[in-house]
Amino acid sequence: MEQVSTNRSHGGTQGVYTHQSATTGTPMTFSVFVPDHEPGQRLPVLWYLSGLTCTHANVTEKGEYRAACARAGVIFIAPDTSPRGDDVPDDAAYDFGKGAGFYVDATQEPWSAQFRMRSYIEQELPALVAQHFPVDMDRQGITGHSMGGHGALTIGLRNPDRFRSVSAFSPIVSPLNCPWGNKALTGYLGPDKAAWREYDACALIEDGARLPALLVDQGEADNFLHEQLKTGLLVMACRKAGIPATIRMHPGYDHSYYFISSFMADHVAWHAERLKA
């Protein structure tokens, strides 16, 4: 692991790091904010998964999480959304290929060799982080935005023993039922929709996955709400399954980081309460 940069901020250290990933076969970059803490102390960690076209840098520069994380004593980690490099396959569209890994392990060529973001997020990166940062791996939460909200929900639902808390901003709640999801999952996983269900939050809940609680914030002025995000499907799925879900709709807010940063401190505090020792 190599350090790209570090900066002091809000009583903590914001770092950016890169490493050669065995999972994707490419260099991968991620950011980590570590609040000041006592020597030997281990802190809870909140993972943040970004949306389409983003890298680690979007939330790192615009997410406004550091003050809240410093107050709560929570480490904040933001990985990239896909493998990168000249030899990595890509697509001309913004919603497939580089920057659009959808947090799946692809099974279709030419994507299957490197587009393995599920394994990277669930296995390789946590192991690397545990070696180099003062994280308490028994106290993990996960959140994300849009495609990253889809990632946070599905990873949290598949790993309830690992993540004590799960939240999302403007998540794609059912890739089985939206154009973004149909395009990405067909390309990465093939046409058999049965193979898609483990990457669909509503389908996972329907198939028996559960969370102790859920927090979701969604802007009512989000231009992707009705065609792509379909928050109402998650409301219905949680209600039917008896999952305690706080799903807040905000008039006037859109899909941007102006929206995310407005409610980021709420999410950090919500996770911190559930990640107490």
Side-chain angles (χ1 to χ4, degrees):
M1 190 182 76
E2 297 180 9
Q3 177 181 294
V4 177
S5 65
T6 59
N7 298 91
R8 289 287 294 163
S9 181
H10 289 284
T13 301
Q14 177 66 65
V16 176
Y17 307 89
T18 186
H19 72 110
Q20 182 65 31
S21 169
T23 302
T24 67
T26 66
M28 295 294 290
T29 302
F30 62 99
S31 73
V32 182
F33 176 74
V34 181
D36 291 347
H37 57 283
E38 296 296 325
Q41 183 182 6
R42 295 203 166 265
L43 304 178
V45 57
L46 178 58
W47 299 87
Y48 178 92
L49 305 184
S50 295
L52 288 166
T53 75
C54 291
T55 70
H56 71 283
N58 297 74
V59 70
T60 304
E61 296 169 2
K62 297 184 286 187
E64 299 184 24
Y65 56 83
R66 278 173 284 270
C69 285
R71 285 193 300 269
V74 172
I75 292 173
F76 190 99
I77 302 178
D80 203 346
T81 54
S82 77
R84 309 272 178 179
D86 294 340
D87 296 329
V88 175
D90 198 11
D91 187 89
Y94 76 95
D95 54 358
F96 193 68
K98 292 179 187 178
F102 263 82
Y103 304 100
V104 306
D105 280 354
T107 59
Q108 305 299 300
E109 298 294 341
W111 316 101
S112 57
Q114 293 168 313
F115 278 71
R116 303 183 64 235
M117 291 303 295
R118 172 182 177 174
S119 291
Y120 179 71
I121 298 298
E122 290 186 353
Q123 299 172 28
E124 184 178 16
L125 187 57
L128 181 72
V129 163
Q131 292 176 2
H132 293 279
F133 298 95
V135 294
D136 182 347
M137 299 303 281
D138 290 329
R139 294 189 287 160
Q140 297 185 69
I142 191 167
T143 188
H145 170 238
S146 193
M147 178 186 73
H150 141 77
L153 293 176
T154 55
I155 290 171
L157 284 161
R158 289 195 305 262
N159 298 277
D161 56 335
R162 181 182 302 181
F163 296 100
R164 289 194 192 180
S165 55
V166 179
S167 76
F169 301 88
S170 314
I172 302 169
V173 306
S174 184
L176 279 158
N177 291 290
C178 74
W180 277 342
N182 272 269
K183 178 178 181 178
L185 298 188
T186 298
Y188 293 136
L189 303 176
D192 181 7
K193 291 191 175 183
W196 299 10
R197 294 186 68 83
E198 61 186 319
Y199 296 110
D200 183 297
C202 292
L204 283 165
I205 293 170
E206 183 180 330
D207 292 345
R210 294 293 182 267
L211 296 171
L214 177 64
L215 173 64
V216 171
D217 280 307
Q218 173 64 57
E220 289 184 356
D222 188 325
N223 59 321
F224 300 115
L225 173 58
H226 300 294
E227 182 181 21
Q228 304 283 11
L229 308 179
K230 301 193 174 183
T231 310
L233 295 179
L234 182 63
V235 173
M236 291 188 292
C238 289
R239 186 177 298 151
K240 185 175 181 180
I243 295 174
T246 301
I247 300 177
R248 307 187 298 189
M249 304 297 295
H250 300 279
Y253 284 91
D254 58 19
H255 199 68
S256 72
Y257 269 88
Y258 292 108
F259 162 66
I260 299 167
S261 63
S262 297
F263 300 99
M264 179 65 82
D266 287 359
H267 282 245
V268 171
W270 187 86
H271 283 275
E273 180 64 27
R274 286 153 181 80
L275 297 176
K276 287 180 178 178

